[in-house]
């Protein structure tokens, strides 16, 4: 819930570096305070200049980070990679918003409750992934490589 609001706020800007049309939905579905945090309107910060700077810095950081990794995945699939693994996927929506080549599988590893929330929220709004999406519900402190292989990841 720390990253998606920043992606949503960036997406709402007229000069947005990235587009994540699912970030606001995923954030706002958690409640009004989250929706406010994810909106383009930062009036909720009132006259707190430090908070405004921190909010802008977080939005800028997540926009650049998202832009970088979107490009990374694009280059990977152009090179022939057809399996993508997103560790600590959280509310990442790349399986839904990036244009994946046919035959691409996106494995999303995170806590079961996080993946359940994301899946149910997006399903309720008719969102469809643009790749084969495989949620892998496992705590990263546990043996996630085994869970990943059990979910169909081919390490070769």
């Amino acid at each position: 819930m720390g990253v998606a609001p920043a992606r949503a706020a960036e997406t709402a800007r007229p000069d947005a570096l990235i587009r994540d049309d699912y970030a606001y939905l995923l954030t706002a579905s958690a409640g009004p305070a989250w929706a406010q945090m994810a909106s383009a309107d930062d009036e909720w910060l009132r006259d707190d200049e430090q908070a405004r700077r921190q909010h802008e810095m977080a939005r800028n950081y997540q926009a650049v980070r998202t832009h970088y990794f979107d490009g990374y995945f694009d280059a990977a699939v152009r090179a022939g990679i057809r399996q993508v693994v997103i560790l600590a996927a959280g509310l990442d929506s790349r399986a839904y918003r990036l244009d994946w080549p046919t035959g691409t599988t996106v494995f999303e590893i995170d806590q079961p409750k996080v993946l359940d929330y994301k899946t149910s929220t997006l399903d309720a709004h008719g969102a469809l992934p643009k790749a084969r999406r495989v949620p892998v519900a496992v705590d990263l402190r546990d043996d996630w490589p085994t869970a990943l292989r059990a979910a169909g990841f081919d390490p070769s």
Side-chain angles (χ1 to χ4, degrees):
M1 290 303 291
V3 177
R7 287 196 318 267
E10 175 65 18
T11 297
R13 294 172 52 91
D15 61 345
L17 176 63
I18 55 109
R19 294 234 32 98
D20 184 346
D21 295 322
Y22 298 102
Y24 185 80
L25 169 65
L26 288 164
T27 303
S29 295
W34 289 104
Q36 183 179 49
M37 186 182 224
S39 75
D41 179 11
D42 65 358
E43 288 305 310
W44 59 278
L45 294 168
R46 294 186 180 69
D47 294 327
D48 188 337
E49 286 305 313
Q50 181 178 354
R52 283 182 190 271
R53 283 192 304 275
Q54 288 174 332
H55 185 66
E56 181 178 4
M57 184 175 63
R59 186 195 68 233
N60 290 342
Y61 171 76
Q62 293 305 333
V64 170
R65 178 178 177 259
T66 299
H67 179 72
Y68 172 83
F69 282 109
D70 286 356
Y72 177 85
F73 288 124
D74 182 56
V77 296
R78 279 190 283 114
I81 302 297
R82 292 298 178 264
Q83 294 183 113
V84 173
V85 178
I86 302 175
L87 293 172
L91 301 182
D92 185 289
S93 64
R94 284 184 176 92
Y96 293 83
R97 66 181 180 77
L98 296 184
D99 291 322
W100 300 100
T102 301
T104 302
T105 300
V106 178
F107 295 92
E108 297 180 343
I109 302 176
D110 212 319
Q111 301 277 341
K113 286 183 180 182
V114 173
L115 294 173
D116 288 345
Y117 171 78
K118 177 168 49 177
T119 301
S120 65
T121 301
L122 292 173
D123 284 355
H125 289 86
L128 297 172
K130 294 182 178 183
R132 179 174 167 253
R133 177 179 172 260
V134 179
V136 182
V138 63
D139 190 314
L140 289 176
R141 294 170 291 189
D142 296 332
D143 186 7
W144 63 264
T146 296
L148 179 62
R149 286 188 299 277
F153 178 78
D154 180 0
S156 65

